[in-house]
Amino acid sequence: MASVATASHGALMDAVYRRQKHIYDATRKYYLLGRDTLISALDAPVGTSVLEVGCGTGRNLALIGKRWPGAALHGLDISQEMLSIASGRLGTKAALALGDATNFDPKALFGRDNFDRIVISYAVSMIPVWREAVVHAASLLAPGGSLHIVDFGDLSGLPAPLRVGLRGWLASFHVTPRTDLGAALAALCEDAPFAATTRRGPLGYFQIGVLTRNR
């Protein structure tokens, strides 16, 4: 049974995307940068199990399937509105499920306990308790598996007026850049078998973090 918080956030996301879902990909391609860079570096050969948390319209999963044919694709999202688009786009090419990024049960939803690759693309900035989502994703990595996160960075390379304006505009869509993502990933490595790296995109517009579980 979904918690009250899960149901509430799911309803919010449905309200946000109910009208946007049909134009989402056409508009987001201009400012959700770094996604294709992440996909190219995913290293998901045939048989690799890939899960995207916050898969939205399925845009990334479709590209992962093209770039890494033979990977087993899975997608999770809290918005049924977005999943309706993803389902139409991917058909039987991916297993899709409705769920909360912070506590979903992979066995119940996908029939498996872990994944070789987990992707979170521009979703941690929209998840209120995003650290819980990252910790949960990390717990579902298979030995040698990796978690790949791309999202807005600190925007520090942008002129101050543009930076302030962009932050305000993002906030209107319930988006908050997680400037301490790198620190959160590093903290996971202190008492667990993980290694983390973080790279900064041009002007600090986006960041890519990778958490790898040691074999």
Side-chain angles (χ1 to χ4, degrees), residues 38-55:
L38 181 152
I39 291 170
S40 294
L42 202 56
D43 188 18
V46 174
T48 300
S49 56
V50 178
L51 167 68
E52 182 175 15
V53 175
C55 66

Side-chain angles (χ1 to χ4, degrees), residues 15-207:
V16 168
Y17 293 123
R18 186 165 290 119
R19 294 182 179 180
Q20 294 186 38
K21 62 185 180 181
H22 298 294
I23 62 170
Y24 182 91
D25 291 324
T27 57
R28 266 58 175 185
K29 68 180 180 180
Y30 297 109
Y31 65 90
L32 297 188
L33 308 179
R35 296 179 296 174
D36 295 348
T37 300
L38 181 152
I39 291 170
S40 294
L42 202 56
D43 188 18
V46 174
T48 300
S49 56
V50 178
L51 167 68
E52 182 175 15
V53 175
C55 66
T57 64
R59 180 264 189 196
N60 293 333
L61 284 174
L63 290 181
I64 291 170
K66 291 180 180 179
R67 176 64 180 82
W68 302 103
L73 306 179
H74 308 76
L76 177 96
D77 205 280
I78 201 169
S79 170
Q80 187 63 65
E81 295 289 343
M82 295 298 262
L83 284 175
S84 68
I85 301 298
S87 180
R89 165 178 270 155
L90 295 166
T92 60
K93 296 178 182 178
L96 303 175
L98 182 71
D100 187 327
T102 65
N103 60 16
F104 67 94
D105 181 349
K107 189 72 171 179
L109 296 181
F110 301 110
R112 58 184 310 126
D113 296 315
N114 53 43
F115 300 88
D116 300 311
R117 303 286 182 271
I118 299 179
V119 172
I120 308 180
S121 172
Y122 285 93
V124 296
S125 55
M126 298 192 74
I127 300 172
V129 287
W130 65 275
R131 291 179 183 82
E132 292 182 18
V134 171
V135 169
H136 187 52
S139 74
L140 302 181
L141 289 175
S146 51
L147 167 63
H148 302 252
I149 301 174
V150 61
D151 216 301
F152 293 104
D154 60 16
L155 311 175
S156 61
L158 299 177
L162 181 57
R163 183 167 64 249
V164 172
L166 179 56
R167 284 184 176 275
W169 182 72
L170 292 174
S172 70
F173 290 98
H174 309 281
V175 174
T176 304
R178 309 306 186 184
T179 57
D180 53 344
L181 173 63
L185 294 179
L188 285 174
C189 301
E190 294 178 0
D191 300 308
F194 297 119
T197 62
T198 306
R199 60 174 292 192
R200 182 176 182 271
L203 304 178
Y205 185 87
F206 69 86
Q207 57 184 327

